[in-house]
Amino acid sequence: MTTMNAAVVTSFDEPPHYRGFETPTPHGEHEVLAEVLAAGLHPRVRSGASGSHYTSTGTLPMVPGVDAVARLADGSLVYFISDDDRVGTMAERTVIDLRRAIPLPEDADVARIAASMNPAMSSWVALHARVEMTPGASVLILGATGSAGRAAVQVARRLGAGRIVGAGRDPERLEAVTRLGADAVIQLTDDADATARAFAQTAAEVDVVIDYLWAAPAALAMSAILHARADRSRRLDWVQIGSMAGSDITLPSALFRSANLHVVGNGQGSVSPAGYRAQLPALAAEVQAGTIGVEPRTEPLADVERAWTERELPGERVVLVP
Ligand SMILES: NC(=O)c1ccc[n+]([C@@H]2O[C@H](COP(=O)([O-])OP(=O)(O)OC[C@H]3O[C@@H](n4cnc5c(N)ncnc54)[C@H](OP(=O)(O)O)[C@@H]3O)[C@@H](O)[C@H]2O)c1
């Protein structure tokens, strides 16, 4: 048995520890062992490491990490998404299923790709594969102040949105969303009536909602928008992507009968691995070109325990480097 250094979760209540772990073995014609160069610490990684993600099996110890930039044995660089059943990417080496990998140029900005692909692919894949966004469409991003929300502003603009509205809690972070290119912002406050009025005034005529929050803010926004819409039979596409505000929602049935509301999800399962892979090369090119992406904050993998608990600055994503 050979071992490698890795971030190892031994309890769902603690951050991972840096320690030895058995090097995984590739199986079948599509799998290879590769050297990890950089792996992003995304919310999905945290929920997997706390046992709370919907794909979690409850098995410990585990190595977290859902994607990474890696170097193959022939020296080439790839970005890849990990298979849920495998050892994760926060390790010196990992097994890659080449059907979930895309080639990167030798001069790829490894840290930026590792930081940006996960947050950016949520809206990129949603707007390519889950809804049809017509040129000039009006897009609302619920949860626009996070990394995925900020990337969604850039993605929507790049894909031809005519108007972009960002909604979030933090006023300073909302200002940054405006600087990124949003045409208007809505602050989510504890005053539900005022927040509903803001959605009615600013977002009643949107065509697509990209929702990273769900739960109470999504229910409030949905109701306010549909009630304020000039023509309720005009289609509203609601793409559910994250659940930062909670995993459950209560919606009056009348909302669906009284308006042309289409709710779909975007995530593992709603789009096949091949469907994701098909979208990734073009997104990686945008990230490499600097048109879309978040700022990486690189940390040594050996410091994973500290990096895990330190708060990220707005627009920043921790990237662990073995
Ligand atoms: N399905 C997919 O393909 C996919 C891909 C990427 C991400 N996601 C999901 O998308 C979500 C966001 O990811 P991210 O990378 O943007 O995370 P992030 O950078 O940590 O940002 C989280 C955002 O959620 C906001 N937030 C947290 N709790 C909230 C609440 N109770 N009410 C309103 N806003 C709240 C935060 O607002 P403040 O700024 O006010 O703290 C912040 O803007 C996560 O659930 C993630 O798992 C899904």
Side-chain angles (χ1 to χ4, degrees):
M1 176 181 96
T2 59
T3 59
M4 60 181 181
N5 291 312
V8 182
V9 177
T10 52
S11 159
F12 288 129
D13 303 324
E14 293 170 17
H17 306 289
Y18 185 68
R19 58 175 61 161
F21 197 83
E22 184 179 347
T23 306
T25 310
H27 296 287
E29 57 173 318
H30 299 295
E31 290 190 354
V32 295
L33 190 65
E35 178 196 354
V36 178
L37 300 184
L41 180 41
H42 314 298
R44 164 72 184 84
V45 177
R46 292 181 190 278
S47 63
S50 67
S52 62
H53 193 258
Y54 57 89
T55 58
S56 292
T57 59
T59 308
L60 290 177
M62 59 139 352
V63 174
V66 296
D67 68 348
V69 175
R71 193 178 291 285
L72 302 182
D74 66 3
S76 60
L77 291 183
V78 292
Y79 167 79
F80 70 100
I81 301 175
S82 182
D83 187 330
D84 280 328
D85 298 332
R86 307 284 336 185
V87 171
T89 56
M90 295 193 161
E92 289 174 313
R93 287 179 288 285
T94 196
V95 167
I96 296 179
D97 181 334
L98 293 171
R99 292 168 297 184
R100 293 165 174 264
I102 59 162
L104 294 176
E106 189 47 42
D107 66 350
D109 186 335
V110 169
R112 187 173 159 84
I113 298 267
S116 303
M117 289 296 283
N118 172 278
M121 81 174 67
S122 59
S123 55
W124 182 270
V125 174
L127 293 178
H128 280 95
R130 299 300 285 155
V131 293
E132 262 183 51
M133 193 183 78
T134 49
S138 178
V139 177
L140 167 66
I141 298 156
L142 209 49
T145 54
S147 291
R150 291 167 58 102
V153 174
Q154 299 169 310
V155 167
R157 189 64 84 205
R158 194 78 186 93
L159 299 183
R163 183 167 184 266
I164 299 170
V165 181
R169 296 186 295 195
D170 186 294
E172 273 179 38
R173 291 181 176 202
L174 279 174
E175 269 179 35
V177 170
T178 306
R179 286 196 297 276
L180 263 183
D183 300 287
V185 291
I186 295 171
Q187 193 188 356
L188 306 171
T189 67
D190 292 337
D191 184 339
D193 290 340
T195 307
R197 275 198 302 279
F199 277 109
Q201 283 162 8
T202 310
E205 303 304 334
V206 295
D207 303 294
V208 177
V209 179
I210 298 176
D211 176 10
Y212 294 105
L213 301 181
W214 203 233
L220 181 144
M222 215 180 264
S223 175
I225 290 168
L226 291 174
H227 281 103
R229 222 161 165 75
D231 175 4
R232 287 198 207 172
S233 67
R234 198 165 68 74
R235 185 179 174 112
L236 174 62
D237 280 304
W238 196 285
V239 197
Q240 204 314 292
I241 302 184
S243 50
M244 295 305 299
S247 56
D248 299 316
I249 197 165
T250 301
L251 293 174
S253 60
L255 268 191
F256 290 88
R257 296 194 300 273
S258 62
N260 190 0
L261 171 64
H262 296 250
V263 182
V264 296
N266 183 58
Q268 289 166 288
S270 59
V271 177
S272 68
Y276 265 99
R277 191 187 179 285
Q279 302 295 343
L280 297 183
L283 175 59
E286 297 281 351
V287 172
Q288 178 72 8
T291 44
I292 293 170
V294 299
E295 276 306 305
R297 187 176 95 213
T298 55
E299 299 279 2
L301 181 62
D303 290 343
V304 61
E305 248 177 278
R306 177 185 53 75
W308 200 267
T309 48
E310 277 180 5
R311 197 159 192 250
E312 284 165 345
L313 297 174
E316 193 181 69
R317 176 61 36 96
V318 168
V319 168
L320 293 170
V321 178

